[in-house]
């Protein structure tokens, strides 16, 4: 019993202080960094809508693996199993969760109207701890980056430094 209480306290404290959690839903190829809030004993997320974070593999009634990192050092603190549930728009639970999420959402394109957009176009999920924590891994769990349209910088053309550094002639 004491071990379960300590695990719950560690999960709650770590999730409250961290701005990101790494979540891997059932069938997802890799964990994904997601912003969240800790509210009433669970991690609350909003996503799967235009301009919001994707929530791959997270389905109502499913499970997920959640990893919380240290805010100051970035190291892994705890990994735990969560039960995923979708919160129905307009319900008292949804209103309470969205009030917390709204305060943490940065750079919302529609400002105060974002909660209405979330109700229409997004999903609000609750990831409640099941009480099972995983031991910390021995080695690195680094994975290659997910596919993206972003490209890396190419080498500068050989003549560019001469063009940039040459002196302009006075007029």
């Amino acid at each position: 019993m004491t071990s379960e209480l300590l695990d719950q306290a560690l999960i709650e404290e770590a999730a409250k202080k961290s701005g990101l959690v790494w979540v891997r839903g059932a069938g997802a190829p890799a964990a994904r960094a997601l912003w969240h809030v800790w509210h009433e004993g669970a991690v609350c997320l909003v996503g799967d809508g235009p301009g919001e974070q994707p929530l791959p593999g997270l389905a109502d009634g499913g499970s997920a693996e959640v990893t919380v990192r240290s805010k100051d050092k970035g190291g892994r603190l705890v990994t735990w199993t969560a039960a995923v549930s979708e919160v129905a728009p307009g319900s008292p639970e949804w209103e309470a969760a969205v009030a917390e999420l709204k305060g943490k959402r940065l750079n919302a394109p529609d400002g105060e109207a974002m909660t209405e957009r979330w109700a229409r176009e997004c999903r609000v999920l609750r990831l409640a701890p099941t009480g099972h924590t995983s031991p910390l891994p021995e080695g690195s769990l680094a994975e290659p980056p997910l596919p993206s349209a972003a490209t890396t910088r190419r080498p500068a053309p050989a003549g560019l430094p001469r063009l940039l550094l040459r002196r302009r002639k006075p007029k």
Side-chain angles (χ1 to χ4, degrees):
M1 182 68 174
T2 304
S3 175
E4 290 176 15
L5 291 175
L6 289 174
D7 286 348
Q8 180 63 28
L10 174 62
I11 290 168
E12 183 173 345
E13 195 62 26
K16 280 181 180 178
K17 290 187 176 185
S18 182
L20 288 176
V21 291
W22 292 86
V23 179
R24 180 176 21 217
R32 182 177 288 273
L34 303 171
W35 68 271
H36 74 286
V37 295
W38 180 265
H39 180 67
E40 294 182 0
V43 164
C44 292
L45 307 166
V46 64
D48 278 352
E52 298 298 338
Q53 60 192 352
L55 305 173
L58 299 177
D60 190 23
S63 66
E65 181 182 76
V66 181
T67 300
V68 184
R69 64 172 181 80
S70 167
K71 192 171 186 174
D72 58 346
K73 301 288 184 186
R76 178 188 319 258
L77 291 176
V78 64
T79 299
W80 46 280
T81 306
V84 180
S85 61
E86 188 166 346
V87 185
S91 68
E93 295 84 15
W94 188 88
E95 296 291 340
V98 165
E100 294 290 324
L101 287 162
K102 181 180 168 183
K104 295 286 186 175
R105 175 63 163 98
L106 301 176
N107 304 323
D110 48 1
E112 292 299 314
M114 79 178 142
T115 56
E116 295 156 8
R117 179 174 51 86
W118 287 351
R120 282 189 323 270
E121 303 170 356
C122 298
R123 296 188 309 148
V124 174
L125 299 179
R126 195 170 183 278
L127 279 57
T130 60
H132 304 298
T133 59
S134 302
L136 293 176
E138 294 294 321
S140 170
L141 296 179
E143 295 184 25
L146 296 172
S148 169
T151 60
T152 57
R153 209 173 128 185
R154 294 187 176 93
L160 185 60
R162 281 182 278 151
L163 289 173
L164 294 175
L165 298 175
R166 77 174 167 187
R167 295 182 187 190
R168 296 181 185 234
K169 296 179 183 176
K171 292 184 180 184

